[in-house]
Amino acid sequence: MAFDDLISPLKNKGFIFDYWNNFVISNNVNIKIVLLETFELNNISNSNNHQGVVVFASKIIKKKLSEYLKNLSSKKSRILILDQLTDPQNVGSIIRSAFAFNFDAVCLLKNNSPVETPSLIKASAGEIDNIQFLAIGNLVQEI
């Protein structure tokens, strides 16, 4: 996932800007920092549950299982296949656990699976960025 913009409130402007600016510089990332009023953050995020930071990020790209398998550099790969899980928080927790147990990829059905919602990403504790995300159409045919 690539971050495009990081938006933070104007309140405590100097401290907030310095903090995020130092973060951007020390991590060598190319994102634009925008400072807004808190009510504007509420409008952008459609919520007041943003904890003072809103990040716009690129969409996560899901590869097809067959494409992933063709491009494997090793004959051994640990892939976790999830069938018809619909709760984003459960899927996020499973992604977090899959990363902790050294799985290489997590595979979800194209239908009957949650999309990458803020709650799924939060439940994954950011590990959704560190593990390959795969999509399959029909579980029986793909296996």
Side-chain angles (χ1 to χ4, degrees):
M1 180 183 312
F3 298 126
D4 299 323
D5 296 328
L6 185 143
I7 301 175
S8 192
L10 278 170
K11 186 173 78 175
N12 301 324
K13 178 181 176 182
F15 170 77
I16 297 286
F17 182 80
D18 290 344
Y19 175 83
W20 289 115
N21 194 45
N22 288 337
F23 174 84
V24 166
I25 291 168
S26 64
N27 289 290
N28 197 27
V29 292
N30 184 24
I31 60 173
K32 179 174 64 174
I33 301 171
V34 179
L35 300 175
L36 299 174
E37 297 289 347
T38 302
F39 76 89
E40 293 172 298
L41 286 177
N42 296 346
N43 289 339
I44 289 171
S45 66
N46 296 323
S47 169
N48 63 352
N49 191 22
H50 46 68
Q51 299 179 354
V53 177
V54 175
V55 176
F56 288 97
S58 301
K59 186 175 179 165
I60 295 170
I61 298 172
K62 293 181 190 174
K63 287 185 177 178
K64 291 182 177 181
L65 179 61
S66 57
E67 178 185 331
Y68 175 77
L69 293 173
K70 282 180 194 174
N71 297 321
L72 278 179
S73 59
S74 168
K75 297 237 180 210
K76 293 183 179 180
S77 184
R78 297 176 61 170
I79 301 171
L80 181 62
I81 300 175
L82 306 177
D83 184 19
Q84 296 190 20
L85 292 176
T86 56
D87 184 351
Q89 291 181 333
N90 287 345
V91 172
S93 296
I94 291 168
I95 290 169
R96 184 179 68 235
S97 297
F99 180 77
F101 287 103
N102 295 316
F103 276 79
D104 300 299
V106 173
C107 190
L108 294 169
L109 297 175
K110 288 180 185 173
N111 300 319
N112 298 321
S113 293
V115 295
E116 303 80 47
T117 62
S119 63
L120 186 149
I121 293 168
K122 185 176 180 181
S124 80
E127 300 305 348
I128 197 166
D129 291 330
N130 297 319
I131 196 163
Q132 183 64 57
F133 221 42
L134 306 174
I136 57 175
N138 183 300
L139 182 61
V140 173
Q141 288 177 350
E142 293 279 346
I143 293 177

